[in-house]
Amino acid sequence: MRTNTAPPHAGADEKAVLRNVLDQLRKSIAVKVEGVPEPQVRTGGVPSGTSLLGLLKHLASVERFYFLGEEPADWQATFTPSPEDTVDGVRTDYRKTVERANEIIDACPDLTLPAPRARRRGPVPSMRWLLVHMIEETGRHAGHADILRERIDGSTGR
């Protein structure tokens, strides 16, 4: 279940370093749902009801919000897979969303520029802030996924 954790080459710019860290975390959480049978993949493993499939679905919504400007009607609902959601479908949606987000990141010439995001009151964060925030958000939920997966079948690691 290990993912490639090689750092970018020496001399890589800040954006390359931040994106590399984010991409490693993205890969880490995406593989956590692989091989987990129904209904365990969607069953809450903690009192809050958080599940592996729910975490991946939520992170796709977070990526769409910050990078693509798509705000969900109900943030709490993004943690709950519908009966129609499948592991393959949610994982494919997440990976496609990440690809689209990476296009936005790659097109940004300067990390001090405002990041794209849904319309809200208040200042728009910089792309630098957004990348750091997404590392924190994805890392936090990847840690949750590590615990949930270990509780399901004892699997550990990235």
Side-chain angles (χ1 to χ4, degrees):
M1 209 183 277
R2 287 248 175 238
T3 57
N4 179 9
T5 57
H9 62 85
D13 68 7
E14 180 184 14
K15 183 167 64 170
V17 171
L18 293 172
R19 177 153 163 218
N20 179 269
V21 172
L22 180 56
D23 282 343
Q24 292 307 316
L25 291 168
R26 289 162 160 170
K27 289 176 190 174
S28 178
I29 194 153
V31 300
K32 287 295 175 183
V33 301
E34 291 178 3
V36 180
E38 292 283 357
Q40 291 91 340
V41 74
R42 70 179 60 246
T43 301
V46 292
S48 67
T50 302
S51 71
L52 284 172
L53 197 58
L55 286 172
L56 195 59
K57 183 174 180 169
H58 170 71
L59 282 171
S61 294
V62 174
E63 295 263 356
R64 279 193 297 274
F65 171 69
Y66 279 113
F67 292 110
L68 307 175
E70 299 173 19
E71 186 166 6
D74 179 359
W75 275 106
Q76 192 57 40
T78 67
F79 282 99
T80 307
S82 72
E84 296 79 29
D85 284 329
T86 64
V87 171
D88 287 341
V90 172
R91 190 177 50 228
T92 297
D93 176 61
Y94 180 69
R95 288 182 173 153
K96 286 182 178 179
T97 300
V98 164
E99 286 176 19
R100 291 173 56 206
N102 281 344
E103 290 171 3
I104 301 297
I105 296 166
D106 292 346
C108 179
D110 181 347
L111 295 182
T112 64
L113 293 174
R117 63 179 286 189
R119 300 278 185 239
R120 284 191 157 183
R121 282 181 256 143
V124 176
S126 69
M127 181 61 86
R128 177 181 290 111
W129 179 91
L130 178 51
L131 288 168
V132 171
H133 175 69
M134 287 305 301
I135 289 168
E136 179 272 332
E137 177 88 6
T138 307
R140 179 172 172 243
H141 291 314
H144 297 147
D146 287 341
I147 293 166
L148 292 172
R149 181 65 190 256
E150 186 174 357
R151 290 194 70 195
I152 291 169
D153 65 7
S155 293
T156 61
R158 295 181 92 138

